[in-house]
Amino acid sequence: MKSERAIIVAYGDVNRAIGLRGDLPWLGQFPADMKHFVEITTGQAVIMGRNTYDSISPKFKPLRNRQNIVMTQDDSFLEAGVSVAYNLDEAFDLVETGRQGIVIGGMMAYKESVARADELGIDTIYVTEVHGEFDADAFFPDLDPNAWREVKRQDFPADERNSYPYSFVKYERI
C-alpha cells in the first residue's frame, strides 16, 4: 500500500549530494533512476520548488501523467498544467483525491519535508543511493535513525547504461 504523502530523492550516498548548479550531479549517466522515478510518481501528485521545476527539460514539463504542484513566492508564475502553492502545507492541500503527494525537490523542500514529516503526515521516503562521491552545491538532509527505518533495499552494480552502482531504498517513519 502506498502512503498518502512521501518523498522521493536520488543522492550520492557518500555526501547525500542531490544537485550541482541546478542539475543532477550524474545527469545523463543513470537511466535506472529515471525509470524508478517514473514508476513511483506516474499517476501521483509531484510537489517541487520553483528551481526544481525550472531545471526540468522543457520537453518534459509539466511532468506527464502526474499532477504538478510548484511552490513559489512569485505571484506572476503561471504555467499550463501546473498548480501553484506558496508552501508545503498548501501544496499538500492541492493534491487531488486518490493521488499520493510526493515531494521531488529541491533542497529546501526536502529539508522542510524531512524536518516536518510527522506534522505533514509524510511516512515514506524513496531513495536512490548512487554509490559515489559527487561535487555538489545541494544536499539531502540526514535522516534521524530514531524517526526513520529502512524497510526495503535493492542493490545493483554499474552496467553499460548506468555509470555507478546504486541501491533503491525505502524508508518508513517510525
XYZ file of all heavy atoms in Angstrom, residues 36-96:
484
model
N 12.955 4.417 -12.322
C 12.427 4.221 -10.964
C 11.539 5.405 -10.565
O 10.439 5.226 -10.022
C 13.615 4.058 -10.008
C 13.261 3.777 -8.594
N 12.658 2.614 -8.181
C 13.458 4.506 -7.463
C 12.490 2.634 -6.872
N 12.960 3.776 -6.415
N 12.004 6.617 -10.840
C 11.245 7.832 -10.545
C 9.896 7.808 -11.261
O 8.856 8.084 -10.666
C 12.063 9.065 -10.961
C 11.338 10.362 -10.791
C 11.342 11.014 -9.571
C 10.663 10.939 -11.855
C 10.663 12.215 -9.407
C 9.994 12.141 -11.706
C 9.988 12.786 -10.477
N 9.910 7.470 -12.540
C 8.671 7.423 -13.326
C 7.712 6.386 -12.755
O 6.506 6.645 -12.614
C 8.981 7.157 -14.820
C 7.721 6.824 -15.600
C 9.687 8.365 -15.429
N 8.236 5.210 -12.409
C 7.375 4.152 -11.860
C 6.676 4.590 -10.580
O 5.500 4.298 -10.380
C 8.191 2.882 -11.592
C 8.610 2.156 -12.846
C 9.607 1.030 -12.586
O 10.050 0.843 -11.429
O 9.954 0.336 -13.562
N 7.388 5.284 -9.711
C 6.808 5.691 -8.427
C 5.874 6.887 -8.571
O 4.838 6.950 -7.914
C 7.924 5.977 -7.398
C 8.579 4.647 -7.015
C 7.384 6.694 -6.158
C 9.794 4.778 -6.137
N 6.211 7.833 -9.444
C 5.453 9.088 -9.479
C 4.322 9.143 -10.507
O 3.435 9.991 -10.385
C 6.398 10.282 -9.728
O 7.016 10.143 -11.011
C 7.441 10.392 -8.624
N 4.318 8.268 -11.496
C 3.258 8.328 -12.509
C 1.898 8.130 -11.854
O 1.705 7.241 -11.035
C 3.495 7.280 -13.609
O 4.696 7.629 -14.301
C 2.349 7.243 -14.606
N 0.978 9.015 -12.209
C -0.372 8.967 -11.673
C -0.524 9.679 -10.339
O -1.634 9.806 -9.822
N 0.580 10.158 -9.782
C 0.553 10.797 -8.465
C 0.691 12.314 -8.613
O 0.734 12.845 -9.714
C 1.678 10.223 -7.596
C 1.712 8.705 -7.519
C 0.382 8.079 -7.121
O -0.391 8.638 -6.351
N 0.099 6.897 -7.660
N 0.763 13.007 -7.484
C 0.988 14.454 -7.464
C 2.430 14.702 -7.066
O 2.871 14.242 -6.013
C 0.046 15.127 -6.476
N 3.188 15.384 -7.920
C 4.578 15.711 -7.616
C 4.654 17.156 -7.135
O 4.118 18.060 -7.768
C 5.519 15.440 -8.814
C 5.646 13.942 -9.052
C 5.045 16.128 -10.084
N 5.309 17.322 -6.004
C 5.429 18.630 -5.357
C 6.890 19.043 -5.419
O 7.773 18.275 -5.004
C 4.956 18.552 -3.891
C 3.469 18.166 -3.841
C 5.225 19.865 -3.162
C 2.969 17.809 -2.450
N 7.130 20.235 -5.945
C 8.516 20.683 -6.123
C 8.626 22.182 -5.956
O 7.651 22.919 -6.132
C 9.018 20.279 -7.503
C 8.351 21.022 -8.650
S 8.514 20.229 -10.260
C 7.024 19.242 -10.296
N 9.843 22.619 -5.660
C 10.134 24.040 -5.643
C 10.283 24.560 -7.065
O 10.439 23.799 -8.021
N 10.240 25.861 -7.183
C 10.313 26.509 -8.497
C 11.620 26.205 -9.209
O 11.643 25.949 -10.422
C 10.136 28.025 -8.331
C 10.345 28.853 -9.577
C 9.196 28.733 -10.562
N 9.446 29.489 -11.761
C 9.149 30.775 -11.929
N 8.583 31.456 -10.970
N 9.417 31.360 -13.068
N 12.747 26.200 -8.500
C 14.028 25.911 -9.145
C 14.056 24.493 -9.696
O 14.614 24.249 -10.765
C 15.194 26.138 -8.186
C 15.409 27.601 -7.869
O 14.976 28.479 -8.600
N 16.065 27.861 -6.757
N 13.486 23.557 -8.964
C 13.416 22.179 -9.464
C 12.576 22.137 -10.731
O 12.971 21.518 -11.723
C 12.838 21.237 -8.387
O 13.745 21.230 -7.280
C 12.662 19.826 -8.915
N 11.433 22.807 -10.715
C 10.589 22.835 -11.912
C 11.344 23.444 -13.091
O 11.323 22.910 -14.199
C 9.301 23.611 -11.649
C 8.371 23.587 -12.833
C 7.635 22.441 -13.123
C 8.242 24.691 -13.673
C 6.792 22.403 -14.225
C 7.406 24.658 -14.764
C 6.682 23.511 -15.040
O 5.859 23.469 -16.134
N 12.042 24.546 -12.834
C 12.789 25.207 -13.908
C 13.921 24.338 -14.448
O 14.328 24.489 -15.597
C 13.349 26.553 -13.436
C 12.265 27.612 -13.267
O 11.134 27.423 -13.780
O 12.545 28.632 -12.607
N 14.440 23.415 -13.623
C 15.550 22.563 -14.060
C 15.096 21.415 -14.962
O 15.913 20.779 -15.616
C 16.297 21.993 -12.854
O 15.564 20.954 -12.231
N 13.807 21.157 -15.008
C 13.284 20.076 -15.851
C 13.315 20.544 -17.304
O 12.917 21.668 -17.620
C 11.850 19.699 -15.428
C 11.847 19.153 -13.992
C 11.246 18.673 -16.389
C 10.460 18.996 -13.395
N 13.761 19.671 -18.177
C 13.829 20.000 -19.599
C 12.458 20.452 -20.104
O 11.444 19.839 -19.769
C 14.279 18.767 -20.384
O 14.091 18.955 -21.769
N 12.419 21.509 -20.919
C 11.137 21.994 -21.443
C 10.305 20.907 -22.134
O 9.088 20.947 -22.093
C 11.535 23.092 -22.432
C 12.861 23.557 -21.952
C 13.535 22.346 -21.363
N 10.970 19.929 -22.737
C 10.208 18.893 -23.440
C 9.512 17.929 -22.473
O 8.656 17.165 -22.891
C 11.087 18.130 -24.429
C 12.123 17.231 -23.825
C 12.906 16.522 -24.912
C 13.921 15.562 -24.321
N 14.617 14.804 -25.324
N 9.875 17.962 -21.188
C 9.263 17.056 -20.209
C 8.339 17.753 -19.218
O 7.753 17.099 -18.369
C 10.339 16.302 -19.429
C 11.120 15.348 -20.276
C 12.485 15.514 -20.423
C 10.504 14.305 -20.938
C 13.226 14.638 -21.207
C 11.230 13.426 -21.722
C 12.593 13.587 -21.863
N 8.245 19.088 -19.273
C 7.414 19.739 -18.274
C 6.172 20.361 -18.866
O 6.200 20.782 -20.017
C 8.216 20.732 -17.449
C 8.700 21.973 -18.142
C 9.500 22.803 -17.155
C 10.092 23.998 -17.840
N 10.929 24.781 -16.975
N 5.078 20.354 -18.108
C 4.972 19.688 -16.822
C 5.131 18.172 -16.981
O 4.923 17.635 -18.075
C 3.575 20.054 -16.324
C 2.808 20.432 -17.544
C 3.804 20.944 -18.535
N 5.526 17.502 -15.894
C 5.738 16.056 -15.962
C 4.430 15.369 -16.342
O 3.399 15.590 -15.711
C 6.261 15.537 -14.625
C 7.643 16.050 -14.228
C 8.004 15.584 -12.829
C 8.699 15.603 -15.220
N 4.483 14.556 -17.382
C 3.288 13.916 -17.917
C 2.712 12.885 -16.955
O 3.439 12.224 -16.224
C 3.611 13.230 -19.243
C 3.910 14.205 -20.364
C 4.101 13.492 -21.695
N 5.425 12.900 -21.839
C 6.496 13.545 -22.265
N 6.409 14.816 -22.564
N 7.652 12.936 -22.386
N 1.392 12.743 -17.035
C 0.656 11.745 -16.257
C 0.834 11.912 -14.750
O 0.839 10.945 -14.004
C 1.053 10.322 -16.682
C 0.816 10.095 -18.157
O -0.234 10.458 -18.687
N 1.800 9.534 -18.829
N 0.986 13.155 -14.322
C 1.102 13.486 -12.911
C 0.447 14.838 -12.682
O 0.438 15.679 -13.576
C 2.576 13.600 -12.478
C 3.390 12.339 -12.633
C 4.874 12.706 -12.585
N 5.721 11.600 -12.948
C 6.073 11.286 -14.187
N 5.663 11.990 -15.207
N 6.857 10.253 -14.412
N -0.035 15.053 -11.478
C -0.449 16.387 -11.081
C 0.818 17.119 -10.655
O 1.529 16.658 -9.771
C -1.449 16.329 -9.924
C -1.880 17.704 -9.462
C -2.702 17.676 -8.185
O -2.930 16.619 -7.589
N -3.126 18.838 -7.743
N 1.133 18.236 -11.296
C 2.337 19.011 -10.993
C 1.972 20.178 -10.077
O 1.106 20.991 -10.425
C 2.946 19.576 -12.280
C 3.637 18.524 -13.110
O 4.854 18.549 -13.259
N 2.878 17.593 -13.671
N 2.644 20.244 -8.923
C 2.434 21.335 -7.974
C 3.791 21.988 -7.733
O 4.746 21.321 -7.327
C 1.843 20.827 -6.646
C 0.508 20.112 -6.906
C 1.674 21.982 -5.661
C -0.045 19.359 -5.703
N 3.864 23.283 -8.013
C 5.112 24.029 -7.875
C 4.950 25.048 -6.751
O 3.984 25.810 -6.726
C 5.495 24.733 -9.193
C 6.722 25.619 -9.007
C 5.728 23.713 -10.297
N 5.917 25.033 -5.841
C 5.929 26.010 -4.754
C 6.793 27.199 -5.175
O 7.938 27.016 -5.596
C 6.486 25.386 -3.473
C 5.622 24.276 -2.924
S 6.293 23.568 -1.411
C 7.800 22.804 -2.023
N 6.222 28.376 -5.061
C 6.943 29.593 -5.417
C 6.345 30.776 -4.671
O 5.167 30.745 -4.296
C 6.896 29.851 -6.936
O 7.657 31.028 -7.248
C 5.485 30.020 -7.450
N 7.144 31.797 -4.478
C 6.665 33.051 -3.901
C 6.362 34.063 -4.997
O 5.916 35.173 -4.708
C 7.722 33.623 -2.936
C 8.022 32.701 -1.768
C 6.795 32.361 -0.945
O 6.077 33.248 -0.495
N 6.547 31.074 -0.758
N 6.570 33.687 -6.245
C 6.360 34.562 -7.397
C 4.884 34.549 -7.786
O 4.397 33.589 -8.383
C 7.230 34.083 -8.563
C 7.093 34.944 -9.801
O 6.268 35.886 -9.812
O 7.812 34.664 -10.776
N 4.171 35.631 -7.457
C 2.736 35.730 -7.758
C 2.443 35.711 -9.247
O 1.323 35.425 -9.660
C 2.152 37.014 -7.158
C 2.089 36.968 -5.647
O 1.985 35.862 -5.084
O 2.153 38.052 -5.034
N 3.436 36.004 -10.072
C 3.199 36.050 -11.517
C 3.436 34.700 -12.198
O 3.181 34.561 -13.393
C 4.095 37.124 -12.168
O 5.453 36.743 -12.078
N 3.935 33.699 -11.451
C 4.199 32.390 -12.051
C 2.890 31.731 -12.449
O 1.987 31.539 -11.643
C 4.968 31.486 -11.085
C 5.227 30.107 -11.632
C 6.203 29.908 -12.597
C 4.493 29.015 -11.212
C 6.461 28.646 -13.113
C 4.730 27.748 -11.718
C 5.713 27.561 -12.677
N 2.798 31.416 -13.724
C 1.608 30.775 -14.264
C 2.050 29.904 -15.421
O 2.700 30.379 -16.347
C 0.604 31.838 -14.746
C -0.713 31.338 -15.301
C -1.516 30.608 -14.231
C -1.519 32.512 -15.845
N 1.734 28.635 -15.350
C 2.104 27.723 -16.423
C 1.001 26.694 -16.584
O 0.491 26.156 -15.597
C 3.445 27.059 -16.103
C 3.998 26.330 -17.286
C 5.516 26.416 -17.389
O 6.139 27.297 -16.788
O 6.054 25.571 -18.108
N 0.639 26.407 -17.819
C -0.424 25.443 -18.096
C -0.076 24.085 -17.493
O 1.062 23.627 -17.588
C -0.626 25.312 -19.602
N -1.040 23.464 -16.859
C -0.850 22.137 -16.303
C -0.142 22.111 -14.970
O 0.256 21.044 -14.502
N 0.013 23.277 -14.331
C 0.731 23.361 -13.062
C -0.146 24.084 -12.041
O -0.698 25.139 -12.323
C 2.064 24.134 -13.234
C 2.746 24.351 -11.894
C 2.978 23.395 -14.194
N -0.255 23.485 -10.852
C -0.899 24.155 -9.724
C 0.189 24.866 -8.941
O 1.322 24.375 -8.859
C -1.596 23.138 -8.818
O -2.590 22.435 -9.524
N -0.137 26.004 -8.351
C 0.850 26.802 -7.635
C 0.491 26.863 -6.158
O -0.672 27.072 -5.795
C 0.935 28.231 -8.218
C 1.921 29.091 -7.433
C 1.329 28.183 -9.689
N 1.509 26.685 -5.315
C 1.358 26.798 -3.868
C 2.478 27.679 -3.341
O 3.527 27.816 -3.971
C 1.433 25.411 -3.220
N 2.259 28.272 -2.185
C 3.276 29.124 -1.573
C 4.130 28.376 -0.561
O 5.187 28.861 -0.168
C 2.634 30.352 -0.920
C 2.022 31.274 -1.950
C 0.650 31.327 -2.126
C 2.827 32.064 -2.761
C 0.090 32.155 -3.084
C 2.278 32.891 -3.727
C 0.911 32.930 -3.877
O 0.364 33.747 -4.835
N 3.665 27.185 -0.122
C 4.413 26.417 0.870
C 3.975 24.957 0.822
O 3.044 24.605 0.090
C 4.235 27.022 2.270
C 2.770 27.128 2.659
O 2.023 26.152 2.585
N 2.355 28.322 3.078
N 4.636 24.110 1.605
C 4.324 22.682 1.609
C 2.909 22.389 2.080
O 2.245 21.500 1.538
C 5.316 21.925 2.493
C 6.608 21.477 1.840
C 7.565 20.915 2.887
C 6.355 20.447 0.758
N 2.441 23.116 3.083
C 1.080 22.879 3.570
C 0.069 23.098 2.447
O -0.820 22.254 2.226
C 0.769 23.791 4.763
C 1.687 23.523 5.940
O 1.463 22.525 6.647
O 2.639 24.305 6.131
N 0.188 24.216 1.744
C -0.708 24.491 0.621
C -0.539 23.455 -0.479
O -1.519 23.034 -1.097
C -0.439 25.885 0.043
C -0.993 27.015 0.853
C -0.807 28.356 0.160
O -0.547 28.401 -1.068
O -0.924 29.380 0.854
N 0.684 23.062 -0.744
C 0.940 22.082 -1.806
C 0.212 20.773 -1.517
O -0.461 20.220 -2.393
C 2.444 21.845 -1.960
N 0.336 20.267 -0.298
C -0.354 19.019 0.039
C -1.870 19.192 0.007
O -2.595 18.269 -0.362
C 0.116 18.477 1.388
C 1.409 17.720 1.303
C 2.541 18.187 1.954
C 1.509 16.537 0.576
C 3.743 17.478 1.886
C 2.699 15.835 0.495
C 3.818 16.304 1.148
N -2.361 20.385 0.354
C -3.807 20.641 0.287
C -4.318 20.593 -1.155
O -5.495 20.310 -1.386
C -4.153 22.000 0.896
C -4.063 22.005 2.421
O -4.001 20.907 3.026
O -4.037 23.111 3.002
N -3.453 20.875 -2.122
C -3.850 20.866 -3.536
C -3.860 19.474 -4.170
O -4.372 19.307 -5.281
C -2.912 21.765 -4.344
C -3.024 23.265 -4.095
C -1.898 24.005 -4.819
C -4.382 23.786 -4.532
N -3.305 18.477 -3.489
C -3.237 17.129 -4.055
C -4.652 16.604 -4.282
O -5.487 16.610 -3.383
C -2.435 16.173 -3.137
C -2.501 14.743 -3.655
C -0.989 16.636 -3.027
N -4.899 16.173 -5.515
C -6.218 15.671 -5.880
C -6.517 14.353 -5.175
O -5.617 13.535 -4.946
C -6.292 15.472 -7.395
C -6.156 16.765 -8.166
C -5.925 16.562 -9.660
O -5.706 15.412 -10.095
O -5.952 17.578 -10.393
